[in-house]
Amino acid sequence: SGAKYAIMAGQITPKKLFKGMKPDLKALTILATLKRKNAETIFGAIAREMSKIGVEMLDARSFLDDSVAPKGFFCGKGWKLSAEDVEFEMHIARECARLDIGQGCVVSRGSVLAVEAFEGTDKMLERAGEFEAKDSIFAKTVKPNQDYRFDVPVIGERTVRKLTQAGIKNVAIEADNVIILQKDIVKNLAEVNGIKIFGV
């Protein structure tokens, strides 16, 4: 098509790496060169292959300035959680991201209920909801050296529905980095369900 730029958007189900994926010869060759197989290494390898044919991968936040999480309360006007609670929550999320485990976690009153791994955010929220813990906080952050061409953390309508099902009413997200898809829908749905979203 003569395209010189590309943007990654949407979700790839992680379990496809283990079951149901039918790679072609090029993909098999790329995967064989990787010692570690996670989002960053796989997408990084794809980006390198694309650059060889003259296609540059752009920041996944391109053209999405209005969708980046703002600082402060995105919805809700305050919560009874302390600054220490939020700081601890974000610390756990950032450490998980630093170790390349995942980009989210759920904490309640100083106890880590669940951390996001390869199963993704939805499954993590389902697990955390099983505890029916009070004052749970869901945090979403970025890796210390996040490559914004891919695997940029996102929350959206489905996330809010999962939070509602899990009984989690507090959300802390990395401002200026996490993308909120369809902001108006997310805000309205969160407010209807009493979910407060705060950009740290």
Side-chain angles (χ1 to χ4, degrees), residues 69-89:
K71 287 189 182 294
F73 279 102
F74 170 66
C75 59
K77 295 181 179 177
W79 49 28
K80 60 181 180 179
L81 302 170
S82 68
E84 289 79 14
D85 288 334
V86 178
E87 185 178 327
F88 176 67
E89 165 81 58

Side-chain angles (χ1 to χ4, degrees), residues 8-39:
M8 286 195 177
Q11 184 182 43
I12 296 175
T13 307
K15 67 181 181 183
K16 288 280 189 184
L17 186 59
F18 302 101
K19 183 179 180 181
M21 184 172 73
K22 297 177 181 176
D24 60 12
L25 185 58
K26 172 68 83 174
L28 285 171
T29 303
I30 292 171
L31 288 170
T33 65
L34 303 176
K35 290 182 180 178
R36 294 185 180 183
K37 294 179 178 67
N38 55 41

Side-chain angles (χ1 to χ4, degrees), residues 75-149:
C75 59
K77 295 181 179 177
W79 49 28
K80 60 181 180 179
L81 302 170
S82 68
E84 289 79 14
D85 288 334
V86 178
E87 185 178 327
F88 176 67
E89 165 81 58
M90 290 305 293
H91 169 71
I92 297 299
R94 287 171 179 147
E95 282 299 293
C96 288
R98 181 183 66 81
L99 293 169
D100 206 13
I101 296 169
Q103 296 170 304
C105 67
V106 178
V107 172
S108 173
R109 298 180 178 179
S111 294
V112 179
L113 303 182
V115 295
E116 180 185 359
F118 217 63
E119 84 278 32
T121 302
D122 292 354
K123 294 289 186 184
M124 178 199 65
L125 292 175
E126 289 172 13
R127 285 190 289 112
E130 293 174 3
F131 290 98
E132 299 180 3
K134 303 288 186 184
D135 302 326
S136 295
I137 317 172
F138 163 56
K140 193 81 169 175
T141 189
V142 293
K143 298 172 188 173
N145 298 305
Q146 179 76 41
D147 188 332
Y148 287 98
R149 295 175 300 170

